[in-house]
């Protein structure tokens, strides 16, 4: 038993996933699944000139959810905006929600009639949408009990949590699969000496990396197609966007993940070291990037951690395409970040591979 | 005699942040075409590093190596076409069959398909693996793996064969078979360079033997001359005389 503990604590890389990761996981899931969101970008299109709408707007602006110190909404105001223009703001992810207050809001309240306000939300994030709609209903009921009707149009069809989950799980699966299988290939071939034999042939190191990359691209795209089809057939998951754009996101992302697999494995002396070091990179991606919960539900400092991890951008782009059905312009920012990450990590990987293997 | 490998002032220094290890220290020698050349030395003598530099796997820190008239620094890809390397580890893909392992190597060396198939059949028969050609190599014994590993290295018909510890861990029968194979390749005109810890092997097989110690070349001659010069009856005595009795880590 003493020998077992000695061996364990001498492998420091193994201690981190064993003790630190569960704590980090509890913190992230605790906040992420905590049932509240904050700093939601809300656009209020106030077409009403009366005083009643001002009271509602003030109520929204100061609302702080239970168990939170932050305001729920970051509000921007405008007027004279059509619903389709407002939908564009949601599609482009400029705002998480848009509340449209009609021109006759105050008048109807004064006449004891029921005014109808429209709430558009980014329904690709089903969790946040549920919380925003519930909160909005509460605030409206508190403001004018039983008098205001809230309409929430389905922007992307009827969506469930699985629709939110699937695009990110595909990105996560591709990331995990690529890093692990590329790494195993390099670390394994290094351990059994086969890579040395290959490198003693006229084939260049660049060609070896190229071969492994192309293999992973084909394999991961095939996995993604199978996963999406299975999700559609089994759970009726929504696929509103272009398959080609999904492929483009995954190709760029896989490219970087191959680089990460090569870099880690080239630095690892054997398979065990590779497994331990790779966990340091792959596990945080799983629970810190909004695969299972929206980033709006975690505190700012956690969100900044998420922004440092490439999977965050792959998740976002996948959801924009698969759920929102948007085109390349809507994911251009995510793609540029993923491309920069992939180029950097791949270049580093080639350097490490050339030096270490 | 025609020189096929020329090593001049070869040096390799491995640097880490805190340490600097001189693995090979300004050594020079020549290997002649068609000879069997042995490299022996205690652990850490620098023979494996020298071997790795001659096979283009490791870049020298200083000095030069010309292999078949080509510079290892500038023409490593051309050199790799002319040499065959049998690594110390068997280095076979366990989930590929013997034939598939050979085909992979043939393809990497750009051997034309028809010629490759002919050679695969010939060599599998030569090393008594013909009946196992479609078996996964993961289930092979050590001896079978070593025989296959050898023919993987020569499927492109190289003029020079580098062989790292060819008989380590093998039973006497397989060792005999490997020696016969080495002699056969040599009779066909190939130059053989190998490292070994077995003095008997070096004595029996090699035309000339280089003895390395602490990164330096301490002797290079025929086994007979080495024994004569040191007044010894065996190569092992010569080895101990030149490299000392101290155990190396």
């Amino acid at each position: 038993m003493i020998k077992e503990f000695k061996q364990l604590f001498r492998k420091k890389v193994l201690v981190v996933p064993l003790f630190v990761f569960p704590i980090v996981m509890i913190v992230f899931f605790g906040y992420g699944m905590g049932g509240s969101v904050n700093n939601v970008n809300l656009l209020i299109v106030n077409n009403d000139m009366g005083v009643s709408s001002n009271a509602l707007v003030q109520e929204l602006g100061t609302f702080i959810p239970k168990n939170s110190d932050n305001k729920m909404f970051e509000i921007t105001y405008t007027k004279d905006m059509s619903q389709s223009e407002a939908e564009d703001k949601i599609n482009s992810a400029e705002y998480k929600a848009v509340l449209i207050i009609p021109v006759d809001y105050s008048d109807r309240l004064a006449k004891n009639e029921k005014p109808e306000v429209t709430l558009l939300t980014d329904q690709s994030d089903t969790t946040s949408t549920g919380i925003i709609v519930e909160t909005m209903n509460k605030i409206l009921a508190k403001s004018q009990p039983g008098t205001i009707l809230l309409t929430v149009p389905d922007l992307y069809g009827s969506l469930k949590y699985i629709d939110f989950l699937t695009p990110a799980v595909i990105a996560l699966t591709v990331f995990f699969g690529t890093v692990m299988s590329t790494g195993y290939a390099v670390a394994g071939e290094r351990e059994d000496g086969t890579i040395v034999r290959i490198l003693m042939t006229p084939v260049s190191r660049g060609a070896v990396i190229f071969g492994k990359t192309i293999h992973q691209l084909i394999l991961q795209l095939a996995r993604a197609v199978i996963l999406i089809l299975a999700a559609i057939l089994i759970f009726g998951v929504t696929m509103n966007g272009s398959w080609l754009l999904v492929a483009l996101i995954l190709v760029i992302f896989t490219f970087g993940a191959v680089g990460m697999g090569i870099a880690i494995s080239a630095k690892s002396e054997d398979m065990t070291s590779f497994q331990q070091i790779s966990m340091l990179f792959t596990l945080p991606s799983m629970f810190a990037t909004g695969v299972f919960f929206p980033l709006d539900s975690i505190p700012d400092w956690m969100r900044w951690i998420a922004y440092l991890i490439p999977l965050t951008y792959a998740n976002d782009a996948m959801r924009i395409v698969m759920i929102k059905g948007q085109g390349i312009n809507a994911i251009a920012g995510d793609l540029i970040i993923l491309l920069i990450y992939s180029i950097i990590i791949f270049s580093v990987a080639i350097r490490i591979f050339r030096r270490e293997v | 005699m025609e020189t096929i490998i020329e090593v001049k002032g070869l040096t390799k220094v491995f640097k880490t942040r805190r340490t600097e290890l001189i693995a090979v220290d300004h050594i020079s020698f020549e290997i002649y075409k068609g000879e069997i050349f042995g490299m022996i030395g205690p652990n850490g003598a620098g023979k494996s590093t020298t071997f790795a530099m001659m096979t283009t796997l490791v870049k020298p820190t200083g000095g030069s190596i010309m292999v078949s008239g080509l510079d290892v620094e500038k023409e490593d890809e051309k050199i790799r076409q002319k040499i065959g390397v049998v690594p110390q580890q068997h280095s076979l893909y366990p989930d590929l069959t013997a034939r598939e392992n050979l085909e992979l190597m043939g393809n990497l060396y750009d051997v034309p398909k028809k010629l490759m198939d002919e050679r695969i059949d010939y060599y599998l028969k030569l090393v008594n693996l013909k009946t196992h050609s479609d078996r996964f190599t993961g289930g092979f014994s050590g001896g079978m793996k070593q025989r296959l590993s050898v023919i993987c290295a020569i499927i492109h018909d190289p003029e020079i064969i580098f062989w790292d510890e060819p008989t380590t861990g093998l039973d006497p029968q397989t060792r005999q078979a490997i020696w016969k194979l080495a002699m056969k390749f040599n009779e066909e005109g190939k130059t053989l360079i190998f490292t070994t810890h077995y003095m008997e092997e070096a004595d029996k097989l090699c035309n000339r033997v280089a003895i390395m110690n602490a990164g330096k070349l301490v002797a290079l001659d025929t086994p007979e001359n080495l024994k004569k010069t040191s007044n010894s009856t065996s190569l092992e005595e010569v080895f101990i005389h030149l490299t000392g009795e101290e155990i190396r880590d």
Side-chain angles (χ1 to χ4, degrees):
Chain A
M1 180 193 76
I2 293 168
K3 185 258 310 175
E4 303 290 337
F5 277 112
K6 271 186 182 170
Q7 284 179 311
L8 173 68
F9 286 104
R10 279 170 194 174
K11 288 177 183 164
K12 291 187 177 57
V13 193
L14 194 62
V15 176
V16 175
L18 205 63
F19 294 105
V20 180
F21 281 173
I23 297 168
V24 179
M25 211 158 106
I26 287 168
V27 172
F28 268 89
F29 276 98
Y31 280 107
M33 300 289 201
S36 67
V37 291
N38 47 51
N39 300 324
V40 170
N41 268 335
L42 172 68
L43 176 67
I44 296 183
V45 184
N46 191 356
N47 297 318
D48 177 52
M49 303 295 283
V51 286
S52 302
S53 59
N54 285 341
L56 173 63
V57 165
Q58 208 162 15
E59 185 81 30
L60 286 167
T62 53
F63 182 77
I64 295 172
K66 271 184 193 169
N67 306 323
S68 175
D69 299 327
N70 295 327
K71 286 193 290 185
M72 182 160 176
F73 299 108
E74 286 288 336
I75 298 180
T76 311
Y77 305 96
T78 187
K79 58 181 183 175
D80 298 331
M81 182 183 280
S82 71
Q83 186 168 325
S84 70
E85 283 173 314
E87 284 176 15
D88 287 343
K89 300 278 183 196
I90 298 282
N91 288 336
S92 64
E94 201 176 328
Y95 294 98
K96 194 83 178 175
V98 179
L99 184 72
I100 303 172
I101 303 173
V103 68
D104 56 354
Y105 180 84
S106 295
D107 279 353
R108 289 182 79 94
L109 279 178
K111 291 177 193 166
N112 283 329
E113 291 174 7
K114 291 185 173 178
E116 185 179 334
V117 296
T118 306
L119 177 66
L120 306 174
T121 62
D122 177 358
Q123 289 159 357
S124 65
D125 175 357
T126 49
T127 310
S128 296
T129 291
I131 295 168
I132 294 167
V133 171
E134 192 190 334
T135 307
M136 198 63 77
N137 270 320
K138 276 185 193 164
I139 292 172
L140 292 174
K142 193 179 159 196
S143 166
Q144 300 287 335
T147 53
I148 305 167
L149 295 173
L150 181 69
T151 307
V152 186
D154 281 344
L155 296 187
Y156 314 120
S158 173
L159 298 173
K160 301 177 290 293
Y161 178 63
I162 187 81
D163 292 292
F164 170 78
L165 201 60
T166 302
V169 165
I170 290 165
L172 175 73
T173 309
V174 164
F175 178 65
F176 258 58
T178 309
V179 173
M180 298 315 270
S181 56
T182 310
Y184 280 138
V186 175
E189 288 191 28
R190 212 174 170 196
E191 194 170 291
D192 63 24
T194 45
I195 197 100
V196 173
R197 193 188 274 283
I198 298 287
L199 294 176
M200 283 179 178
T201 70
V203 171
S204 68
R205 280 169 165 79
V208 173
I209 293 176
F210 179 75
K212 291 191 184 298
T213 308
I214 296 297
H215 160 249
Q216 281 302 326
L217 289 177
I218 295 169
L219 180 70
Q220 299 308 330
L221 283 181
R223 289 180 78 205
V225 169
I226 291 168
L227 273 168
I228 296 171
L229 288 177
I232 292 171
L233 292 172
I234 300 168
F235 297 107
V237 160
T238 309
M239 173 60 180
N240 287 327
S242 151
W243 285 85
L244 275 178
L245 276 183
V246 168
L248 180 66
I249 298 164
L250 294 180
V251 164
I252 295 173
F253 188 49
T254 303
F255 189 57
V258 169
M260 186 174 278
I262 290 173
I264 299 171
S265 55
K267 271 281 182 195
S268 311
E269 281 174 14
D270 50 34
M271 292 281 276
T272 315
S273 311
F274 167 73
Q275 284 166 342
Q276 290 163 359
I277 299 171
S278 63
M279 270 198 285
L280 294 176
F281 291 90
T282 51
L283 284 185
S285 296
M286 187 168 80
F287 48 74
T289 59
V291 173
F292 302 102
F293 48 77
L295 292 180
D296 294 318
S297 61
I298 54 177
D300 286 348
W301 66 269
M302 284 189 185
R303 211 172 304 146
W304 281 110
I305 294 174
Y307 290 149
L308 294 174
I309 303 174
L311 184 61
T312 301
Y313 304 96
N315 290 343
D316 189 49
M318 289 289 283
R319 284 180 178 135
I320 290 173
V321 172
M322 283 185 65
I323 307 175
K324 292 184 175 181
Q326 295 298 296
I328 195 157
N329 289 339
I331 56 168
D334 289 324
L335 286 184
I336 288 168
I337 292 170
L338 287 176
L339 195 62
I340 292 170
Y341 143 76
S342 293
I343 291 170
I344 292 173
I345 191 84
F346 207 80
S347 311
V348 170
I350 290 173
R351 285 177 73 98
I352 295 176
F353 187 81
R354 282 184 199 279
R355 200 179 59 217
E356 303 283 339
V357 181
Chain B
M1 273 188 278
E2 189 186 338
T3 300
I4 198 159
I5 295 177
E6 188 182 14
V7 176
K8 270 189 190 167
L10 186 66
T11 303
K12 181 68 193 179
V13 181
F14 290 107
K15 283 181 186 170
T16 61
R17 278 180 199 166
R18 290 178 192 169
T19 57
E20 194 175 275
L21 173 77
I22 302 169
V24 177
D25 192 1
H26 293 89
I27 61 168
S28 301
F29 60 90
E30 288 176 353
I31 297 173
Y32 304 125
K33 191 172 182 177
E35 75 171 331
I36 301 182
F37 187 89
M39 294 176 71
I40 57 177
N43 290 336
K47 58 186 189 305
S48 293
T49 308
T50 306
F51 200 80
M53 288 190 281
M54 287 194 289
T55 55
T56 77
L57 200 62
V58 171
K59 295 255 182 244
T61 310
S64 67
I65 307 173
M66 299 295 285
V67 177
S68 200
L70 301 164
D71 187 342
V72 288
E73 287 268 25
K74 296 170 193 154
E75 296 160 296
D76 54 343
E77 283 188 24
K78 282 185 192 161
I79 289 173
R80 289 200 287 267
Q81 193 70 48
K82 289 174 178 285
I83 64 173
V85 183
V86 189
Q88 193 181 343
Q89 273 181 293
H90 301 125
S91 309
L92 300 166
Y93 289 94
D95 40 11
L96 296 185
T97 65
R99 183 174 290 278
E100 285 168 343
N101 269 286
L102 288 162
E103 283 170 349
L104 171 69
M105 297 312 290
N107 286 327
L108 292 174
Y109 282 106
D110 248 345
V111 181
K113 174 89 174 86
K114 193 165 173 284
L115 184 61
M116 181 168 70
D117 288 341
E118 282 170 14
R119 282 187 190 161
I120 287 174
D121 287 335
Y122 169 74
Y123 284 129
L124 281 173
K125 206 170 162 188
L126 183 73
V127 297
N128 273 332
L129 288 174
K130 183 82 177 140
T131 51
H132 304 283
S133 62
D134 295 320
R135 274 182 59 197
F136 296 124
T137 61
F140 278 17
S141 69
M144 290 163 81
K145 283 179 183 168
Q146 177 65 316
R147 272 138 57 205
L148 181 62
S149 176
V150 173
I151 60 174
C152 275
I154 56 157
I155 197 73
H156 59 296
D157 193 25
E159 54 182 286
I160 307 165
I161 301 173
F162 288 89
W163 211 329
D164 198 5
E165 298 192 21
T167 58
T168 301
L170 297 180
D171 61 38
Q173 285 84 356
T174 311
R175 188 180 292 188
Q176 287 282 343
I178 293 292
W179 287 348
K180 277 184 192 164
L181 212 51
M183 297 302 287
K184 180 181 163 42
F185 295 147
N186 186 238
E187 280 162 17
E188 286 171 3
K190 296 183 193 304
T191 306
L192 267 76
I193 298 135
F194 64 81
T195 66
T196 184
H197 279 300
Y198 300 124
M199 299 302 120
E200 172 209 1
E201 188 168 79
D203 198 355
K204 189 172 175 177
L205 277 184
C206 297
N207 301 114
R208 290 191 306 147
V209 174
I211 303 176
M212 289 188 72
N213 189 34
K216 291 187 184 294
L217 184 66
V218 292
L220 170 59
D221 212 329
T222 63
E224 285 312 310
N225 283 346
L226 285 170
K227 282 184 268 186
K228 215 180 284 176
T229 316
S230 305
N231 258 341
S232 306
T233 53
S234 70
L235 201 55
E236 186 148 337
E237 273 183 45
V238 178
F239 185 83
I240 296 291
H241 172 71
L242 290 171
T243 62
E245 290 183 0
E246 185 193 344
I247 295 171
R248 316 298 158 87
D249 295 324

